[in-house]
Amino acid sequence: MSADQKNGKHGMNVMDEKHEKTGNCKAPGSHNSHISHSEPPWPNTRPIIPPRGDYQTLLSFQKAEVIYDITFRFAHKHLSRGDRTVDQMIQSARSGKQNILEGSKAGLTSKESEIKLTNVGRASLEELLADYRDYLRVRDHAIWDKDSKEAQFVRRLGRKVPHTFELYREFVETRPPKVIANIAICLIHQANYLLDQQLCRLEKDFLEQGGLRERMFQARLAHRNQQHKK
């Protein structure tokens, strides 16, 4: 069993690990991973269209964007021209990023669509993770153990917010491909953990708040009841 297979938490920061142990849905980061649903200013009701945070403040999106930027450069620089894996890896990375974005926007009117698109983004990153693992395995390169000094360094770097490609530019431009691939693997594990927590919260919100049609019905019913009282 490879080192990364032994650790589903590979690349998580310290705050990530604390949340996993407590079993909370709340994800760490500067933006509470779609816990941007602020409570309405009036009692006992919920808005038909809940307020949303900007997707760019989602730590899961920030990490997915960094993963895309790294993968775009990695694939074009270190994979052979004409290799189908180039397009596949870039597309998987883009799909991960774009579906988080689209899911956040879709959440304005459809919780179901938000959950579905976020799941698609999560699956795309999982596919990309397999490609990076394959790259290292077939070339007999090691996958960093979660407790290695290299993985711990990336883990510490992963705590910085906002999270941008500039944090990794020097490594991507100067380190050998096996190092870049391992950095990408650490970041994908971090992003996947955040997305798992995000999905947990989205499902909880859906159970508590329902979808758009349900909220519209409840709002209309509340309005009628208020009119009758008058």
Side-chain angles (χ1 to χ4, degrees), residues 34 52 55 58 60-61 64-65 68 90-107 110-125 127 195 198-199 202:
H34 261 307
R52 309 294 301 181
Y55 69 86
L58 280 169
S60 59
F61 175 81
E65 188 170 61
Y68 173 80
I90 293 174
Q91 182 55 40
S92 293
R94 183 181 184 279
S95 176
K97 174 177 71 74
Q98 291 300 111
N99 277 287
I100 296 170
L101 182 160
E102 292 175 20
S104 179
K105 293 300 182 182
S110 174
K111 187 71 65 178
E112 299 94 325
S113 294
E114 184 174 17
I115 293 172
K116 178 179 178 181
L117 289 166
T118 304
N119 260 315
V120 172
R122 172 68 169 80
S124 295
L125 291 179
E127 182 179 347
L195 288 171
Q198 192 168 313
L199 285 163
L202 288 172

Side-chain angles (χ1 to χ4, degrees), residues 8-13 16 27-28 33 58-68 93 96-97 100 118 121-126 128-129 158 163 168 183-199:
K9 300 184 296 183
H10 189 138
M12 294 193 303
N13 60 37
D16 291 339
S33 194
L58 280 169
L59 188 53
S60 59
F61 175 81
Q62 291 177 15
K63 286 187 179 292
E65 188 170 61
V66 172
I67 291 165
Y68 173 80
K97 174 177 71 74
I100 296 170
T118 304
R122 172 68 169 80
S124 295
L125 291 179
E126 193 70 29
L128 180 63
L129 177 63
H163 215 68
Y168 303 90
I183 290 173
I185 287 174
C186 289
L187 287 172
I188 294 170
H189 278 298
Q190 290 178 342
N192 283 348
Y193 172 78
L194 289 169
L195 288 171
D196 287 342
Q197 296 298 293
Q198 192 168 313
L199 285 163

Side-chain angles (χ1 to χ4, degrees), residues 28-113:
S30 60
H31 180 294
N32 287 329
S33 194
H34 261 307
I35 308 175
S36 55
H37 306 250
S38 58
E39 292 299 323
W42 52 90
N44 302 322
T45 59
R46 289 187 178 275
I48 295 176
I49 299 179
R52 309 294 301 181
D54 184 352
Y55 69 86
Q56 291 180 317
T57 66
L58 280 169
L59 188 53
S60 59
F61 175 81
Q62 291 177 15
K63 286 187 179 292
E65 188 170 61
V66 172
I67 291 165
Y68 173 80
D69 291 349
I70 291 175
T71 300
F72 184 89
R73 291 164 173 80
F74 177 88
H76 282 299
K77 184 176 181 180
H78 299 295
L79 297 178
S80 301
R81 183 175 298 180
D83 186 343
R84 292 174 57 188
T85 309
V86 173
D87 290 336
Q88 290 171 352
M89 290 184 71
I90 293 174
Q91 182 55 40
S92 293
R94 183 181 184 279
S95 176
K97 174 177 71 74
Q98 291 300 111
N99 277 287
I100 296 170
L101 182 160
E102 292 175 20
S104 179
K105 293 300 182 182
L108 286 169
T109 55
S110 174
K111 187 71 65 178
E112 299 94 325
S113 294

Side-chain angles (χ1 to χ4, degrees), residues 160-183:
K160 297 188 177 182
V161 290
H163 215 68
T164 69
F165 174 72
E166 293 307 315
L167 294 170
Y168 303 90
R169 180 182 292 277
E170 180 182 354
F171 305 109
V172 173
E173 293 178 351
T174 63
R175 300 303 193 270
K178 64 181 180 180
V179 172
I180 302 170
N182 269 295
I183 290 173

